[in-house]
Amino acid sequence: MNRHTLRHAAWGLSTLLLGACGGGPEALPPGSSPEVLPVGFTFLPQPEDNPLTQEGVELGRWLFHAPRLSGNGQVSCATCHVQEHGFSDGVARSTAGVTQHPLSRHTPALVNLAWMEGLFWDGGAKNLESLSLAPLTQADEMGQADLEGMMAGLSADPDVVRRFEAAFGPGEPTLGKLLRGLAQYERTLVSARSRYDRWRRGEPGAFLTEQESRGLALVRQRCTPCHDSELFTDNAFHNNGLDERFGQGEDVSRGRGRVTLRDEDAGRYKTPTLRNVAVTAPYMHDGRFATLEAVLLHYRGGMVRSATLDGAFLREGQAPGVTLDDAEAEAVLAFLHALTDEAFLSDPSLGPPDAP
Amino acid sequence: MTLHFPSSMPRFVRASVLSALTFTLIPACGEDTSSNPTTLSVTERQELNQRISELEAEVTRLEGQLAEQQQQQGATEQEKQALSTELGSLKQQLAEARELLASQDWDGVLVKLEAAQGEVERLKGVLAATDGALSLNAGLVFGSAPFALDQTFTTAGGDSLRFTELRYWLSNVKLRKQDGTKVALANSYHLLEVIKAQAVDGTSSPATLPANRREQVDMVAVPAGVYTGIEFSIGVDPTYNDDLSRQAGELHVLKNMTSSAWMWFTSYIFTKTKGQYVKVDGTSDTFAWETGTNADYRTVNLDFTAPVTVNSQKQVKVNLRADVAALFTSLSPRTTPTINASSATERATLSDGFKAMFSVVSVDNSNR
C-alpha cells in the first residue's frame, strides 16, 4: 500500500468512524466543501474506490470549469450548469452546446447528487463516475469527438498533470481519473444552508413565517411521496401527467422507459428536488413551465391521463391532480422560496477555481 | 564445467537441472573432503567455489520468480513475506559459505551448502506449486467450416451471410476444482475479435484499431491445482459495467465497445456481430447486432474431458470451439437486421446464442 492509498484509506476510515459516532459536519474532510449536510445525514456517500479527497475535489472543480474538454474548446460543464441557477441554466432547452442546437431535455440542476442513484432525467447514468462521458461526447453538448486527443492535450500540460497527480498519485492523467475527479466535485454540491435548513437545525434567528410553515406542512402532506425527505425528492421516476403519449424505441419522450425498456416506465422522469427550486426555472424535463406558478397550476388542474400516470394523482370523482386551494398554493409557493440556499448558490469554493 | 541450455527451455527447468547436478555433486565432494579435509586441491576448491556461485545464481532466479509472482498477485501478502524472508536467509547462508571457503573451513562450507541446497529445493517446490499459466483458445468456426470475414456462410435457417466484424468480451475466467469450488483469475477482461481496420469512435485523430484476429487469451499467475472444468462470461459483470471509470484487464472506453447510444444505459457493448445478408429479393443488405446491459451478461460452464493439473511444470491449453452458427439458430438477419440497446428481447436471445456457442474440443496438459 503506497502512501497515497494509505492516506485515502485513513480518510475513508475517519469519515466512517465519525459518521458512526453521529458526527455532523465534522465527518467531512477538513476544510472541504460541503460544510454541512441536510438534517439527519451524517456522511457524504462515496464509492470505496473513489473516496473524496481535497485534491480530487479540486481536480474535479477545475475540470468542471474547463472549456478545453469540449470539441470546440469553448463549452465547459459550467456553461450549462450555472451555480446561481442551482447548477442549471435558466432556459428550457439549452442552445449553449458546441453546435448551438437545442438539446432534447432541460439542463437538470445539480443538487445533492451524492444521494442520487440514476442520473439524468431518465436515470440512464448509473453513477457520477459514469455520468460525465455522455455530456462530454454528446454531439450537441460538449461535442468531444476525440477523447484520446483530449487526454493527450491534458497530459501535455504540466499544470494539469500536477493536478491529476495531486489527486490520484503519480502517473498519466487518464479518462478514468478524469471521470473520478469530476464525480468527486459533483458529490460536494450539497445544498443544506437554506433558511429552511437553518430553521430545521434550530439555529439562532432562523425562522419560517406562519405561511411558510403551512406551506411546509402542505408539501409534506400533498407533495409526497415524490418530493419526500430532507432531500425533497424520492429520487425515483414518475409520470406526473404532462403528456398523453410517449415515443417508442430510443425516442427521448419515452422517458425512463427508454432506459429500462419497460412499458410501465414510459413517460416517467426523475423527481427533481424542491431545494433551490425558485432559481431553477423553467421546470419539467423539457422546461415547458416557465414559472412555479405555472407548475402549481398544472398540478392543480392541468394534468392529463395516460397509461403510466402515477397513482398518487388519482382523485375520486375528479380529474387527476394535487388538491390545493388558492391560499394553500400561495403557502406552498412561499415555502418553496425558503428552500433557496444562497450560501450554496454563491459559495466561491464551488465556483470557478482561481487561475493557477 | 559449463552448462548449456537451449534458450527456449523455461527458466525453472534450467534451474531444476542445475540443482539436480549440484545435488549429485555435493555428496561426492563431501566424501572426498571428509577423508582429507585439510588438503584440498586447487580444482576441488574451484569446484566448491563454483557450487556456491551456482546456488547464488539459483537464489537470484528464485528472487526473480518471486518478484514476478508478487506482481501477478498469485500469493497472499503473508506468503510473499515468508518467501522473501527465506530467500534472504538463504543468501546469508551462501555469504557465510564464501567466508568459510576463504578461511579454508571445508567442512563448514559443505554443511552450509547442503543446508542451502535443501532450502533451495524446498522453495522451488513452494514457488512451483503457486505459479501456473493457462491458455484459452476459442477457435471460431461456422458449423463445420473455419470462420472468416468476407466469406459466405449459410445458416441452418437458410440465410446466406458474410461477416464484416465479430467481437465479444470474454471475462471472469474461473477454473473449477474437483470439489466444485472455483478459482477466479484476476483482471480477466479480454476482448476477442475478428475485425478489419476501423476508426476509433470518440477520436478524430488518424488512430485506427488495426485489423485483428484474436481467439486466444493467455493467463498467468493461475493458482496451482487440479481442475475439472472452466467457467467464463460473455460481457462485463455489473461491478465494472455499471461504473465506466473502473478499469481492469483490457476494459477501456476507447475500444469501440461503448457508444453514445449505450452510454445512456451505462453499459459496455458486450458483443458485436456485423455483416451482410441476402434478402428475399436476392439483393443484400447489412445486419448489425449488438448486446449489452447487465441483463445480457451470460456465463458459460464447461467440463474438461479429463482433470488438468496447473502448476509451473505443466502447460495447460484449453481448446474451445466457438461456433458462430449458434447465434443464428433463433434469430435471422432477414427478420431482425438490427439488434441494439432498445431491442431487449432480441438481445436476450442473441446473448443466449453466445452462451451456447462454446464447446470443449481438447485440453492439452503436457509437461513444459
Side-chain angles (χ1 to χ4, degrees):
Chain A
M1 196 185 267
N2 62 30
R3 237 179 65 230
H4 189 72
T5 26
L6 202 66
R7 189 165 54 81
H8 279 190
W11 211 328
L13 197 67
S14 67
T15 309
L16 199 75
L17 289 174
L18 287 165
C21 301
E26 303 84 3
L28 302 170
S32 83
S33 175
E35 288 161 9
V36 287
L37 303 178
V39 167
F41 290 90
T42 52
F43 64 95
L44 203 58
Q46 44 198 292
E48 265 176 43
D49 59 353
N50 190 24
L52 285 194
T53 65
Q54 215 167 321
E55 296 83 356
V57 172
E58 263 313 304
L59 170 68
R61 177 186 173 200
W62 180 83
L63 290 165
F64 191 87
H65 293 89
R68 66 200 285 177
L69 300 190
S70 66
N72 65 1
Q74 290 172 28
V75 180
S76 73
C77 306
T79 302
C80 293
H81 294 288
V82 182
Q83 186 177 10
E84 63 185 79
H85 289 296
F87 295 93
S88 64
D89 60 358
V91 297
R93 289 166 56 204
S94 176
T95 53
V98 294
T99 58
Q100 301 182 350
H101 292 157
L103 305 183
S104 32
R105 290 193 182 135
H106 173 55
T107 304
L110 307 182
V111 177
N112 296 338
L113 302 180
W115 294 281
M116 202 182 278
E117 279 172 25
L119 291 309
F120 302 142
W121 285 101
D122 57 19
K126 288 179 184 155
N127 43 60
L128 290 172
E129 276 71 13
S130 306
L131 161 94
S132 309
L133 273 175
L136 201 55
T137 55
Q138 213 273 341
D140 293 325
E141 297 183 34
M142 292 175 73
Q144 181 51 269
D146 185 6
L147 289 170
E148 214 160 324
M150 176 190 80
M151 290 315 301
L154 293 174
S155 299
D157 183 333
D159 174 60
V160 178
V161 174
R162 186 187 55 71
R163 289 174 186 277
F164 273 84
E165 291 198 335
F168 296 111
E172 283 276 291
T174 64
L175 200 51
K177 292 174 187 172
L178 177 137
L179 294 174
R180 290 177 176 206
L182 280 166
Q184 286 194 35
Y185 165 71
E186 287 155 4
R187 244 173 223 116
T188 67
L189 301 179
V190 172
S191 176
R193 290 174 284 175
S194 67
R195 193 150 51 80
Y196 161 79
D197 292 296
R198 296 202 302 276
W199 167 81
R200 189 79 174 76
R201 283 193 289 269
E203 286 180 18
F207 68 98
L208 288 185
T209 65
E210 200 222 338
Q211 190 192 32
E212 287 164 354
S213 296
R214 266 190 292 127
L216 168 60
L218 286 163
V219 165
R220 291 302 184 207
Q221 195 189 342
R222 315 265 170 93
C223 304
T224 51
C226 301
H227 293 290
D228 211 356
S229 87
E230 288 299 318
L231 300 175
F232 291 91
T233 168
D234 60 357
N235 283 328
F237 303 87
H238 303 277
N239 171 351
N240 59 348
L242 293 169
D243 296 302
E244 284 175 319
R245 276 177 211 89
F246 315 106
Q248 291 292 310
E250 294 187 16
D251 192 303
V252 286
S253 72
R254 202 176 169 186
R256 177 68 174 160
R258 182 171 174 250
V259 171
T260 64
L261 307 176
R262 288 198 298 253
D263 290 341
E264 65 262 36
D265 285 330
R268 289 184 175 169
Y269 293 93
K270 159 74 65 71
T271 311
T273 178
L274 298 181
R275 289 179 168 277
N276 300 297
V277 73
V279 300
T280 59
Y283 304 99
M284 308 297 142
H285 63 276
D286 51 6
R288 69 175 68 186
F289 299 130
T291 62
L292 281 176
E293 287 79 0
V295 173
L296 284 172
L297 282 177
H298 165 75
Y299 283 122
R300 292 170 68 191
M303 284 191 163
V304 295
R305 290 181 189 275
S306 63
T308 59
L309 176 67
D310 203 282
F313 296 114
L314 298 178
R315 296 183 290 192
E316 255 203 64
Q318 281 186 77
V322 176
T323 307
L324 288 171
D325 63 26
D326 288 350
E328 289 172 333
E330 286 294 319
V332 167
L333 259 183
F335 169 69
L336 292 180
H337 281 85
L339 285 173
T340 300
D341 182 348
E342 291 298 344
F344 170 68
L345 300 171
S346 61
D347 188 341
S349 78
L350 299 177
D354 301 330
Chain B
M1 181 179 69
T2 44
L3 296 167
H4 289 286
F5 299 112
S7 58
S8 63
M9 193 184 267
R11 196 187 53 229
F12 58 84
V13 176
R14 266 181 278 162
S16 48
V17 170
L18 195 65
S19 63
L21 277 173
T22 318
F23 208 59
T24 49
L25 285 171
I26 284 178
C29 233
E31 280 158 29
D32 283 352
T33 50
S34 59
S35 56
N36 198 352
T38 46
T39 59
L40 220 58
S41 72
V42 174
T43 331
E44 284 169 323
R45 215 179 304 172
Q46 278 172 348
E47 249 175 48
L48 268 183
N49 204 19
Q50 171 76 13
R51 212 69 68 241
I52 296 176
S53 299
E54 280 171 6
L55 277 171
E56 282 173 340
E58 184 81 340
V59 171
T60 307
R61 271 191 291 274
L62 286 173
E63 275 183 321
Q65 207 173 335
L66 182 63
E68 207 171 274
Q69 285 198 344
Q70 284 179 332
Q71 276 177 2
Q72 295 164 353
Q73 301 165 345
T76 69
E77 207 56 48
Q78 272 180 328
E79 285 168 349
K80 290 175 197 164
Q81 281 287 330
L83 286 172
S84 299
T85 313
E86 285 181 64
L87 278 173
S89 75
L90 247 181
K91 280 161 88 176
Q92 181 61 32
Q93 274 185 315
L94 289 173
E96 283 166 15
R98 270 205 190 286
E99 279 171 31
L100 292 170
L101 190 64
S103 68
Q104 304 198 343
D105 176 358
W106 318 121
D107 278 337
V109 173
L110 286 173
V111 169
K112 285 280 174 211
L113 282 185
E114 261 176 283
Q117 182 66 43
E119 188 68 0
V120 164
E121 286 304 314
R122 206 188 60 76
L123 280 177
K124 267 172 39 191
V126 171
L127 283 169
T130 55
D131 182 24
L134 171 77
S135 293
L136 180 61
N137 187 283
L140 289 164
V141 295
F142 195 101
S144 54
F147 177 86
L149 299 183
D150 297 326
Q151 197 173 307
T152 304
F153 297 105
T154 308
T155 68
D159 282 323
S160 190
L161 307 174
R162 278 175 14 163
F163 292 88
T164 52
E165 176 169 354
L166 180 72
R167 307 181 94 194
Y168 64 94
W169 287 107
L170 190 154
S171 68
N172 293 308
V173 179
K174 291 175 187 170
L175 287 168
R176 199 172 344 103
K177 287 188 172 173
Q178 262 155 332
D179 64 5
T181 58
K182 291 169 197 164
V183 174
L185 305 184
N187 280 323
S188 217
Y189 298 89
H190 314 277
L191 184 54
L192 299 194
E193 62 188 10
V194 187
I195 58 167
K196 301 176 179 187
Q198 53 183 268
V200 181
D201 293 343
T203 139
S204 56
S205 50
T208 53
L209 294 174
N212 189 29
R213 183 180 183 109
R214 180 182 181 209
E215 295 160 283
Q216 180 165 324
V217 293
D218 298 306
M219 289 157 280
V220 290
V222 181
V226 176
Y227 299 102
T228 58
I230 194 165
E231 182 182 306
F232 57 86
S233 298
I234 305 303
V236 179
D237 55 278
T239 303
Y240 282 90
N241 197 44
D242 287 352
D243 185 339
L244 301 178
S245 80
R246 292 189 175 135
Q247 281 173 346
E250 296 163 25
L251 288 179
H252 200 283
V253 174
L254 292 176
K255 288 197 172 174
N256 290 3
M257 290 303 267
T258 50
S259 79
S260 55
W262 287 90
M263 256 171 227
W264 289 108
F265 296 78
T266 316
S267 176
Y268 285 93
I269 297 169
F270 289 0
T271 71
K272 280 187 173 183
T273 312
K274 296 185 178 180
Q276 273 102 37
Y277 69 101
V278 178
K279 293 198 288 186
V280 187
D281 63 7
T283 60
S284 67
D285 208 343
T286 57
F287 72 98
W289 290 357
E290 295 176 350
T291 65
T293 77
N294 295 342
D296 288 354
Y297 185 68
R298 293 290 184 278
T299 298
V300 180
N301 257 297
L302 297 169
D303 290 324
F304 295 145
T305 39
V308 303
T309 303
V310 171
N311 62 35
S312 67
Q313 322 297 327
K314 289 276 203 177
Q315 187 160 275
V316 182
K317 185 172 180 189
V318 178
N319 293 301
L320 302 181
R321 180 172 177 269
D323 187 355
V324 182
L327 308 181
F328 298 87
T329 50
S330 312
L331 288 166
S332 161
R334 264 182 297 141
T335 47
T336 318
T338 304
I339 299 178
N340 59 21
S342 55
S343 356
T345 316
E346 294 83 357
R347 277 199 277 111
T349 308
L350 180 54
S351 303
D352 292 340
F354 269 93
K355 179 181 160 77
M357 77 191 282
F358 300 94
S359 55
V360 176
V361 175
S362 64
V363 182
D364 175 14
N365 194 199
S366 55
N367 290 327
R368 291 212 251 201

